[in-house]
């Protein structure tokens, strides 16, 4: 008997369990090396100086720069060899989702009244039908744009300096509740149910996308120092939804001492405990804790929002999501509320600017739903078809997730340039380009090159793959990459890739990884300056 072939998801999970999260990318595995291809133009001496640093003694640098209009290659080093991309792989998954849905696509999340209505009372259920809306209003500004910070709250447990956007994470839920009240419903004698049948959560994707997402499926925990050393630290958290409860034993320590705050939770995630210390002169420290049952969380959040809006719900707010009550269809169930999202291009900007892992993985599932499939794995053939349409050499790209966090993920510098070239030939070239982090301005490139001549002239997605080297008490940086556009003269953009695989930090301090990221950003800046004729 011949051996059975494991399913695509089983093959992906077999290696996906090795993933380790750090900054904006995530995994370390082996490297592929080959002699570099001929370089059409000599490298800027500053780039050579960066590459010769001790951190890169055993590393491999890759470079590729091309004019997408003429096809002329300016720099090419290991252009057709596989590199670990880290989160730069999001260029592929986000591009595929954008093409499949359309940049102007909006997610419309409805609430249906299932049952009979009489004198303001619904004898039946309110069903919220989740549509895969990434933020459900939680980041939406009044002008319809999506808010983000340079270091997103989803990275708060791993990367120093993560901050919150000011928007209410329950904004979409509150809006739905108010619409139910405006529709004339004052009392619900049945239950409230989240219909999450859009797709099945796939544990092979980490983080796991869900059809209903509120606040990125996390609880935000913000600790502030007390009045003086020895006093309890202050605590704020959001969104406040029953039965979640947060306690803190964090103490304030003397100014200048390290802040060290840890998070633990009960098995169901509803009891969260903070412990540790915060320095008296420290800025507020953000941590997050996972929402482990997004559907039950969303159901409770909607019931509580309905109560705030003046709608009485007979069912208890806290409890499991009663999926057995869901109807086969909503043909005879009127829509009594709907939340309409910003356009997908705004979500793409969020994903690319902050390297939003959940949003990138969600794109795989959304591509699957375009084929009426509920299995996220079916998004990969959709992505493959798109890459062929975009004239990307599909065999030069290996992906097992959407975020660039699986050990199997690989791409060549040339393939990166091909997807970037595709966008330059579309009417959405500028919208896509400005969705990327901008050197010295925003996103994951905000802190790099703030005063250099290339500030604002490099648009690029970054990626990191790193983890602990316990043998040498340092961090192994499997990959630090960046890929995007260099403005070589006004209105003209070269496509490029610059990255290093196999670097190492001097110590186990995470700031060593940030130093390597700055080196890669500097290389991109030097490429831009050289192309623009400056030094």
């Amino acid at each position: 008997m011949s051996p059975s072939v494991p399913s695509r998801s089983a093959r992906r999970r077999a290696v996906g369990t090795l993933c380790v999260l750090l900054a904006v990318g995530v995994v370390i595995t082996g490297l592929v090396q080959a002699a570099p291809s001929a370089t059409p133009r000599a490298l800027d001496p500053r780039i050579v100086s960066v590459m010769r640093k001790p951190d890169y003694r055993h590393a491999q640098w890759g470079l590729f720069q091309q004019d997408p209009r003429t096809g002329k290659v300016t720099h090419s080093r290991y252009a057709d060899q596989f590199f670990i991309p880290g989160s730069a792989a999001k260029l592929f998954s986000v591009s595929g989702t954008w093409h499949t849905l359309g940049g102007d696509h909006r997610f419309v999340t409805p609430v249906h009244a299932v049952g009979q209505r009489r004198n303001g009372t619904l004898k039946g259920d309110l069903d919220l039908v989740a549509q895969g809306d990434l933020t459900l209003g939680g980041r939406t500004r009044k002008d319809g744009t999506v808010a983000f910070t340079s270091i997103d709250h989803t990275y708060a447990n791993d990367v120093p300096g993560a901050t919150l956007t000011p928007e209410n994470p329950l904004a979409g839920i509150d809006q739905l509740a108010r619409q139910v009240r405006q529709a004339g419903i004052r009392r619900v004698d049945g239950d409230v149910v989240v219909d999450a049948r859009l797709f099945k959560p796939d544990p092979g994707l980490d983080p796991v996308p869900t059809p209903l997402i509120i606040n990125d499926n996390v609880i935000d925990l913000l600790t502030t120092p007390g009045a003086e050393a020895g006093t309890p630290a202050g605590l704020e958290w959001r969104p406040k939804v029953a039965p979640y409860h947060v306690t803190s034993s964090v103490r304030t320590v003397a100014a200048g001492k390290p802040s060290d705050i840890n998070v633990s939770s009960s098995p169901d995630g509803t009891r969260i405990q903070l412990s540790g210390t915060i320095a008296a002169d420290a800025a507020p420290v953000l941590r997050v804790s996972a929402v482990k049952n997004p559907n039950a969380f969303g159901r409770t959040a909607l019931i509580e929002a309905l109560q705030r809006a003046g709608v009485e719900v007979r069912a208890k707010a806290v409890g499991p999501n009663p999926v057995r009550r869901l109807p086969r269809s909503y043909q005879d169930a009127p829509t009594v509320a709907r939340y309409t999202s910003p356009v997908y291009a705004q979500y793409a900007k969020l994903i690319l600017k902050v390297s939003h892992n959940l949003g990138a993985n969600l794109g795989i599932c959304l591509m699957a739903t375009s084929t009426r499939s509920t299995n996220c794995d079916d998004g990969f053939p959709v992505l493959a078809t798109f890459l062929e349409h975009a004239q990307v050499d599909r065999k030069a790209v290996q992906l097992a997730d959407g975020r660039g966090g699986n050990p199997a993920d690989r791409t060549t510098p040339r393939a990166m340039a091909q997807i970037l070239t595709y966008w330059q030939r579309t009417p959405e070239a500028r919208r896509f380009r400005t969705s990327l982090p901008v050197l010295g301005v925003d996103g994951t490139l905000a802190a790099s090159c703030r005063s250099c001549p290339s500030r604002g002239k490099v648009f690029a997605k970054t990626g990191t793959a790193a983890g602990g080297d316990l043998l040498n008490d340092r961090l192994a940086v499997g990959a630090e990459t960046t890929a995007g556009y260099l403005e070589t003269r006004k209105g003209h953009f070269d496509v490029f890739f610059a990255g290093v695989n196999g670097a190492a930090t001097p110590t186990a301090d995470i700031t060593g990884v940030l130093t390597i990221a700055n080196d890669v950003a500097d290389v991109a800046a030097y490429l831009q300056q050289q192309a623009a004729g400056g030094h």
Side-chain angles (χ1 to χ4, degrees):
M1 179 182 294
S2 60
S4 60
V5 178
S7 67
R8 185 187 296 115
S9 60
R11 296 195 301 272
R12 176 157 45 80
R13 282 194 295 270
V15 291
T17 54
L18 300 176
C19 292
V20 178
L21 172 66
L22 191 68
V24 294
V26 283
V27 184
I28 307 168
T29 65
L31 306 175
V32 178
Q33 297 197 11
S37 56
T39 304
R41 184 175 180 180
L43 283 176
D44 187 304
R46 294 170 297 179
I47 295 177
V48 176
S49 179
V50 170
M51 292 179 173
R52 288 177 177 173
K53 286 185 176 183
D55 287 348
Y56 312 120
R57 179 182 176 188
H58 302 294
Q60 180 62 62
W61 281 87
L63 290 176
F64 191 76
Q65 182 181 347
Q66 185 178 36
D67 184 331
R69 294 180 183 175
T70 65
K72 179 182 178 181
V73 175
T74 306
H75 292 296
S76 180
R77 178 182 176 86
Y78 297 98
D80 297 302
Q81 302 302 309
F82 272 136
F83 279 77
I84 303 169
S87 284
K90 291 181 174 71
L91 288 170
F92 297 113
S93 59
V94 171
S95 294
T97 310
W98 188 321
H99 179 265
T100 301
L101 300 179
D104 291 323
H105 174 80
R106 296 178 188 269
F107 300 87
V108 181
T109 302
V111 174
H112 293 276
V114 182
Q116 300 298 316
R117 295 172 59 181
R118 181 177 299 174
N119 298 326
T121 297
L122 173 63
K123 299 284 187 179
D125 299 339
L126 285 176
D127 290 3
L128 183 158
V129 184
Q131 298 295 309
D133 187 332
L134 179 58
T135 73
L136 202 62
R139 296 178 185 251
T140 305
R141 302 185 183 103
K142 290 182 179 180
D143 63 0
T145 59
V146 172
F148 60 90
T149 62
S150 293
I151 303 178
D152 193 62
H153 74 143
T154 53
Y155 287 109
N157 292 354
D158 301 281
V159 182
T163 54
L164 295 171
T165 61
E167 287 74 22
N168 176 11
L170 296 176
I173 294 293
D174 285 339
Q175 188 178 127
L176 288 170
R178 290 193 296 269
Q179 289 182 30
V180 170
R181 178 70 172 77
Q182 292 163 4
I185 296 175
R186 308 291 188 273
R187 176 182 169 86
V188 178
D189 273 351
D191 211 324
V192 172
V193 192
V194 171
D195 185 340
R197 293 179 289 188
L198 182 67
F199 60 81
K200 302 170 186 174
D202 184 345
L205 297 172
D206 178 23
V208 178
T210 52
L212 180 68
I213 298 171
I214 298 174
N215 200 44
D216 299 311
N217 291 342
V218 298
I219 302 294
D220 296 318
L221 312 159
L222 191 66
T223 299
T224 54
E228 58 185 13
T231 60
L235 172 67
E236 297 178 24
W237 63 281
R238 69 175 202 182
K240 290 184 171 66
V241 174
Y244 283 75
H245 181 70
V246 183
T247 57
S248 174
S249 60
V250 177
R251 306 291 293 180
T252 308
V253 295
K257 294 223 168 174
S259 298
D260 184 12
I261 299 174
N262 300 304
V263 181
S264 60
S265 68
S266 59
D268 65 356
T270 63
R271 292 294 181 265
I272 302 168
Q273 172 69 38
L274 292 172
S275 60
T277 59
I278 185 170
D281 60 344
V285 175
L286 181 65
R287 295 287 184 266
V288 294
S289 186
V291 171
K292 297 185 179 180
N293 190 332
N295 295 333
F297 182 85
R299 172 186 174 273
T300 298
L302 181 54
I303 291 175
E304 292 178 342
L306 288 165
Q307 292 169 345
R308 291 193 295 271
V311 179
E312 180 184 355
V313 179
R314 184 174 133 185
K316 292 181 179 180
V318 176
N321 185 44
V323 293
R324 292 183 179 179
R325 298 176 68 97
L326 291 173
R328 290 187 176 180
S329 77
Y330 294 99
Q331 183 175 353
D332 299 318
T335 300
V336 293
R338 57 170 58 88
Y339 177 78
T340 302
S341 77
V343 296
Y344 178 75
Q346 278 293 311
Y347 285 177
K349 178 180 283 191
L350 167 67
I351 296 166
L352 295 170
K353 291 285 190 185
V354 308
S355 206
H356 196 282
N357 291 325
L358 180 62
N361 279 346
L362 175 64
I364 300 296
C365 301
L366 294 175
M367 283 187 277
T369 65
S370 72
T371 68
R372 299 185 181 276
S373 173
T374 60
N375 295 315
C376 292
D377 273 353
D378 289 332
F380 287 101
V382 178
L383 177 57
T385 299
F386 160 70
L387 291 178
E388 291 177 346
H389 163 77
Q391 297 184 329
V392 175
D393 179 2
R394 182 154 60 93
K395 299 300 183 182
V397 182
Q398 295 178 176
L399 289 178
D401 64 3
R403 70 167 180 142
N406 191 287
D409 295 344
R410 295 286 190 283
T411 185
T412 67
R414 194 184 302 274
M416 283 282 189
Q418 288 168 344
I419 191 63
L420 293 161
T421 296
Y422 162 78
W423 283 107
Q424 281 296 91
R425 295 170 177 168
T426 72
E428 301 223 75
R430 183 180 184 279
R431 184 151 70 156
F432 181 80
R433 183 176 65 251
T434 56
S435 295
L436 301 174
V438 182
L439 186 67
V441 176
D442 63 17
T444 54
L445 287 173
S448 299
C449 212
R450 286 182 174 175
S451 59
C452 78
S454 297
R455 184 180 187 272
K457 298 177 182 178
V458 177
F459 305 77
K461 181 71 196 76
T462 60
T464 305
D469 174 7
L470 301 184
L471 180 65
N472 297 294
D473 191 25
R474 61 183 182 177
L475 295 174
V477 184
E480 190 65 53
T481 62
T482 186
Y485 303 96
L486 307 171
E487 186 170 19
T488 58
R489 60 182 184 272
K490 189 173 178 59
H492 186 277
F493 301 89
D494 279 4
V495 296
F496 85 100
F497 169 93
V500 60
N501 275 190
T505 62
T507 70
D509 191 333
I510 190 176
T511 57
V513 179
L514 303 180
T515 298
I516 294 173
N518 283 330
D519 280 348
V520 173
D522 285 346
V523 169
Y526 298 148
L527 288 173
Q528 186 277 327
Q529 291 166 34
Q530 187 179 21
H535 294 286

